[in-house]
Structures are given as structure tokens and as C-alpha cells.
Amino acid sequence: MKIRVLVTFIWCLSSLSAWAQDFLAYNERNQPVTVLCVGERITFRDNTPRSNDPNFSEFYDFDADDNQEKFEDPVHVFTIPGEYTVTQLAYGYEQRQRTFTVKANAPATSPVLQKLTLLPTGIELQLNTSGVNDLVLERASSSSGTFTVIQTLTAVPQGESPHLLSIDPNAGCYRVRVTNTCSGRQDIVSSTVCSQALFVTAGNRVNQLSWAANASSGSVSSYQLLRGGQPYKTFLNTQTSFTDTEVACGRLYTYQLVALLPNNVQSASVPVQVETQGSTPPAAPFLVASFDLQNRVMLQTVVPDQETFKEQTIYRSQGNAGFAQISEKQSLNALDSTSPALSAPLCYQATYTDSCSQTSGRSNSACPAILTATFQAEGSVQLTWNAYEGFPAGVGTQTLELLDEQGQVYWSTPVTGQSYLDEKPQTTYQRLTYRLLSKAQDGSYQSYSNTATADQAFQFHFPTAFSPNADGLNDVFRPVGSPFASSFTLQVLNRWGQIIFESKDPKNGWDGTYQGKPAPPETYLFRMEAKDVNGKRITQKGTVTLVK
């Protein structure tokens, strides 16, 4: 009798609990459930007496948290595990809610922990899964130790996915395990991946790296070293140390060691930053000397790739004198601002101080070519120079250039030796400006000489007569030759002293007209005033006869 009363009481409690829910979820076997499975067909039905009302209607929104109110028929299939708030819409206006847990199906294969990366403030996981599941990250002190749960990853998507976790990046061995499955299985785990350590110390112009063999299950294929985030070196699986000699004193380097494991699994260490130290001098620089268009010597200091640069000191020698310091604390590309005389060869050397305050030895001697230009009696220009000194394998080619008034190359010719005779100088410019371009044997460096100038004489004359009859011969009165004028004025006057023509351009002459009509054939006066490139004032007067 007591047992019957107890059973009846339990049934009443369960009935009251069921009636307390406004609506229920039923699985495909028409059983009420509160935990649902991904991929299972679920039907939601009202659980109150109003469902017997012939006018009763119900629709459902299956995820109230997505902020998209969408009411549908009561049948639904969930595709992603998680917690879902389901909203019932009854009679078109009454809304009631319940929360259900949706669990995943067991994946077809175990998840893969593809890459484990330790970070200064956490870890990064690269996962590859065959289905959407909840996973728990577990850690042990060794691959055979006892694993404890570190963090839960909810609804990890199918395929590859990265996960950045803000947890204590302790050394140890990690794995992920599938949880929250409808099957209830807890034995679906990934392979174990153990963290990789890296230790870096700065030596004298070297960085010393060491590490312990990775303890992951399965042998290490090899180790890959990253420097500055880029692949740098690859080591055998038996190697546990490396000395990096390709470093510069005072420069910061960031290293990361990656253990390459079977099946393309990787374990990466925390990036380690170190500043290279040094107590010995850096390697000497390479120096190139070249003149600019203002005849100032520009110095290009080439510091070896593995060294750093802080400042430099410049030394100069002229003629047979020894080298003397002319400047210090200069930037990488310096300028000799002392305007040395160009009467004797110039040579330069440089030393530099690196970021560890160590000073290098002297560079090579760099001696730019010095060019001279001299007019000869017959009108040619004789050019001579000393050959450039300082290229590693000597001078390969030399090119003599003539520059225009803007400093652009107007004319050039290859030359050899240390002299050249310009037999027919250009008549475009009164001042001829030459320079010599020297290129290294391997073409990697080049140097310009100073610019050397030679001024041509002011050479021109005026005809005594002209015939503006449109026959194409002597139709215009203007200067013949090369006036080389920086300023120019030509005036033509009639017998009464009246100016009937004026020109500011030597190329624009008088066509024999006045006020648009032909001038009478007779003799006219002309006067010319000009200045050459040196500012010398030149005047000329005379007569010209207009002939019909």
C-alpha cells in the first residue's frame, strides 16, 4: 500500500512539472526531451490546456539571441551545438521562452591539434576537426602525465580554425578532447603536442641559442628557426644549439623555434627577443667619393650588412700629405663642406661607430677624379684628369660628359686613359661644362669628377646687306654665328634716327618691313648691346643696306 501511494505521488509530481512548462520539445520517437542533438528532428508543442482550443495556433523562433525575430513552424533541426533560447508565439501575440541545450554528434575522426604556439601572454591553437563540436583543452606536465582541463572551446567549427587563448602559457603537453556529445563519449582526443622551449643569450657580436628536444609523442622531423618572423635556418632533429653570427651589434633580433612533428603537426616556442652586444670593433666600411654639380665632394659610406651605424668620422688627404680628420659625428652620406682646392688629387677615408659605441677601422681610400679643361689656340678643348682610385677591382669604364645650362647631359663619349681632345666643341653654349663619369669594374659603384669649364669667345658678325625678297636667301637681317648672349638687344634705325625694329632674341631678325609695310631700299643704321655668360658687356654699331 505504501509503495503504491509513493508511485502515485511521484507520477503527480512529474505531471505537475510537465504542466508547468508552457511548451515541450519532442524527439523523433515522440519523447519529451530537454537536451537536443545536432541533426535531430525536433518538434515543439504547446503543453497547456489552450492547445485544445480549435482556434489555437503556435509558431516558434528557435534562437532568440541572434536578434532576428523569425517565427516558423514547430519542427526544427539544429546544426550547431550550444545553448538556445526558443520563443513560442501563441495566438499570434503571446510569447513565452525556454532554454535548451543542443549537443553535437560524435565526430567522424578525432580532432587534430595542428599547431601549438606559446605566446608571452597566452597560447594559440591551430585545430582541424571533422565536425562542429565543443572541445576542452587539457594540459599535463609530460605526454604520459595526468591531464587537467584548462579551458573549454565551444562550437569549434568543422575544418581548420585558429584559437587565441589568454591563459598562462606554462610549459607542458597539450591535447584537446571532444565533450558535450549526445553519445556521452569522453574518449575522443587529439594526439598530444608538447610545448617547445627556446633560450637565447647575447655574446660578443653573436647570439647563442639553445633548446631541449621536444617531448611530443612521435619523433621530431626537424627544427625550423624563425628570425624576425621569417624562416631563417633549419636544423636536424638531433641539434639542440646554434650560434648566430650574422648579427649586428646593438640590433634587436626576435627568434622563434618550431618543432616539426609527424603529420605536419608543429610546436612553436615563445618568440624571444635579444639585443646583440659587442666589445670588439665592427668590420671596416667601404667608401665612395664623388663630386656634385656644385663641385662639393659627396661621400657614400657602405657599412657591411651585419653591422649597425651610429655616426662616422671623415679623413682627407691632398697631394702627398697624410690623412687628417676634417669632420666627425657625420650621417651615413656625408659632404665635404670645406671646399678644398682642386689643384691636387683628393683622397678620403672614413671610420664609423656602431650601436655598441665601438669604432671600426679605416675604410679604403676613395680618390675622385679631378678634371681640367683648357682652350687651345686652334679652338679645341684639351681635357685631362687623374683616374678614380678606390673601386674594389678598379675602374671599368669612363665617360666624358658635356652638360647643358640645367646640368643635364647634352653630349657624352666613352674615353680611356687620362686625357681627351674635344676638337670641335659644341657651339650651342658659350660656357662648356665637362665632367667625367667613372664606373667600377663590376658596375656596382660610380663616381663623378668635378665640373670643369671653358668659355668660348663671343663669335658673331652682322651682314652689310640683305634682300628680303622671299627667295630663301639672306631674307632677314640678324647676327651670324654664335652670340652666346645671356642678354641681347638689336635695334635698326632709319636715316632720321627713328627706331623701326627691335629684337631681344638673336634668332629673331628684321624682315625689312616697318609697320607692316616693306621699308624702302636704302642704308640703315643698327646697334647691338649684349652680355655674355660672364657678364661682360659687348656693343656693336654699323650700317646695313636693304636691297630689293
Side-chain angles (χ1 to χ4, degrees):
M1 182 65 179
K2 289 182 179 180
I3 294 176
R4 182 180 299 175
V5 172
L6 180 60
V7 170
T8 302
F9 177 71
I10 293 173
W11 179 86
C12 290
L13 286 177
S14 62
S15 298
L16 288 172
S17 176
W19 279 106
Q21 302 294 339
D22 295 314
F23 60 93
L24 300 177
Y26 295 85
N27 60 20
E28 294 174 347
R29 296 178 296 278
N30 201 32
Q31 298 170 330
V33 290
T34 56
V35 176
L36 318 180
C37 292
V38 167
E40 187 177 25
R41 185 173 180 272
I42 302 296
T43 302
F44 293 89
R45 289 200 296 267
D46 189 80
N47 192 41
T48 64
R50 62 183 177 175
S51 61
N52 297 321
D53 184 352
N55 296 320
F56 179 74
S57 64
E58 57 181 328
F59 296 93
Y60 292 86
D61 177 10
F62 301 107
D63 188 2
D65 296 328
D66 64 1
N67 297 318
Q68 297 179 3
E69 194 174 78
K70 182 180 179 182
F71 290 97
E72 306 175 54
D73 290 336
V75 179
H76 188 69
V77 177
F78 292 92
T79 58
I80 299 175
E83 297 290 324
Y84 291 86
T85 299
V86 179
T87 305
Q88 178 198 52
L89 179 66
Y91 289 114
Y93 61 89
E94 291 185 10
Q95 292 190 13
R96 299 176 184 181
Q97 292 183 333
R98 283 192 62 189
T99 299
F100 294 88
T101 299
V102 178
K103 292 189 175 184
N105 294 314
T109 57
S110 297
V112 177
L113 176 48
Q114 201 70 52
K115 185 176 183 179
L116 167 67
T117 303
L118 298 186
L119 302 172
T121 58
I123 65 172
E124 184 177 9
L125 305 177
Q126 187 73 29
L127 301 177
N128 194 338
T129 63
S130 58
V132 179
N133 286 106
D134 291 350
L135 304 178
V136 291
L137 176 65
E138 300 177 329
R139 181 171 61 201
S141 58
S142 67
S143 59
S144 59
T146 301
F147 284 87
T148 58
V149 175
I150 302 299
Q151 190 164 327
T152 299
L153 310 176
T154 59
V156 176
Q158 182 177 351
E160 294 186 358
S161 60
H163 301 269
L164 186 62
L165 309 180
S166 298
I167 61 175
D168 188 5
N170 288 339
C173 297
Y174 294 79
R175 71 182 186 185
V176 289
R177 177 169 51 83
V178 177
T179 187
N180 192 29
T181 64
C182 285
S183 64
R185 291 179 57 186
Q186 297 293 320
D187 59 346
I188 307 174
V189 296
S190 70
S191 59
T192 299
V193 179
C194 297
S195 60
Q196 180 62 53
L198 176 64
F199 305 96
V200 184
T201 56
N204 182 21
R205 299 190 178 275
V206 298
N207 292 331
Q208 303 284 356
L209 290 77
S210 63
W211 59 90
N214 191 274
S216 301
S217 55
S219 61
V220 175
S221 302
S222 60
Y223 292 97
Q224 184 179 61
L225 180 66
L226 307 182
R227 193 173 84 171
Q230 300 298 319
Y232 181 52
K233 301 288 182 180
T234 300
F235 308 117
L236 298 175
N237 58 0
T238 56
Q239 188 166 342
T240 57
S241 64
F242 170 67
T243 300
D244 190 3
T245 59
E246 300 177 20
V247 294
C249 194
R251 185 171 295 169
L252 288 172
Y253 295 91
T254 301
Y255 297 94
Q256 189 175 33
L257 187 68
V258 181
L260 304 180
L261 305 169
N263 300 317
N264 296 320
V265 174
Q266 300 180 7
S267 178
S269 72
V270 173
V272 181
Q273 190 175 75
V274 65
E275 180 178 344
T276 304
Q277 303 299 313
S279 57
T280 56
F286 176 73
L287 186 65
V288 178
S290 179
F291 284 93
D292 65 9
L293 291 176
Q294 289 75 45
N295 281 348
R296 301 173 300 180
V297 179
M298 301 181 298
L299 300 169
Q300 177 190 0
T301 305
V302 182
V303 175
D305 290 340
Q306 75 275 14
E307 306 293 357
T308 55
F309 177 89
K310 183 179 180 182
E311 59 189 25
Q312 68 174 330
T313 300
I314 305 299
Y315 303 85
R316 187 181 68 204
S317 168
Q318 188 159 20
N320 296 321
F323 282 91
Q325 179 179 317
I326 61 171
S327 62
E328 61 181 347
K329 297 182 179 180
Q330 296 294 307
S331 60
L332 194 57
N333 294 315
L335 184 71
D336 183 358
S337 58
T338 61
S339 301
L342 302 182
S343 56
L346 291 168
C347 291
Y348 294 85
Q349 293 178 348
T351 63
Y352 71 95
T353 302
D354 67 10
S355 298
C356 291
S357 298
Q358 299 294 323
T359 301
S360 73
R362 295 281 185 96
S363 70
N364 59 301
S365 295
C367 310
I370 294 181
L371 178 69
T372 61
T374 307
F375 257 114
Q376 304 299 299
E378 74 279 6
S380 64
V381 179
Q382 180 66 54
L383 297 130
T384 59
W385 60 88
N386 61 294
Y388 182 90
E389 296 180 20
F391 291 145
V395 175
T397 62
Q398 298 180 121
T399 304
L400 185 65
E401 299 176 343
L402 178 67
L403 307 181
D404 64 17
E405 294 171 343
Q406 286 72 46
Q408 301 300 311
V409 177
Y410 176 79
W411 162 90
S412 66
T413 184
V415 293
T416 58
Q418 293 179 247
S419 66
Y420 178 82
L421 181 65
D422 189 0
E423 296 178 344
K424 295 182 179 180
Q426 296 291 321
T427 58
T428 305
Y429 310 105
Q430 181 185 11
R431 174 166 292 168
L432 301 174
T433 302
Y434 297 90
R435 73 176 176 184
L436 182 73
L437 170 62
S438 303
K439 290 189 176 181
Q441 189 72 41
D442 61 1
S444 56
Y445 301 103
Q446 66 178 32
S447 171
Y448 286 106
S449 73
N450 60 298
T451 57
T453 60
D455 292 343
Q456 302 189 75
F458 201 84
Q459 302 171 356
F460 71 95
H461 67 276
F462 285 95
T464 57
F466 75 111
S467 55
N469 54 10
D471 64 354
L473 299 174
N474 202 22
D475 287 331
V476 179
F477 174 69
R478 59 190 168 197
V480 178
S482 302
F484 303 129
S486 61
S487 67
F488 175 90
T489 301
L490 171 64
Q491 294 176 335
V492 177
L493 302 84
N494 61 20
R495 68 179 67 179
W496 296 284
Q498 182 182 13
I499 298 174
I500 62 174
F501 173 78
E502 183 175 86
S503 173
K504 299 291 186 181
D505 186 346
K507 298 178 182 179
N508 295 331
W510 182 39
D511 62 359
T513 63
Y514 176 60
Q515 295 181 345
K517 297 179 180 180
E522 58 186 34
T523 299
Y524 294 86
L525 300 174
F526 75 86
R527 60 192 181 196
M528 183 275 300
E529 181 175 316
K531 287 184 180 180
D532 67 8
V533 293
N534 293 311
K536 180 180 179 182
R537 182 172 176 266
I538 300 169
T539 61
Q540 188 172 342
K541 296 179 181 180
T543 61
V544 60
T545 301
L546 189 158
V547 180
K548 288 295 187 180

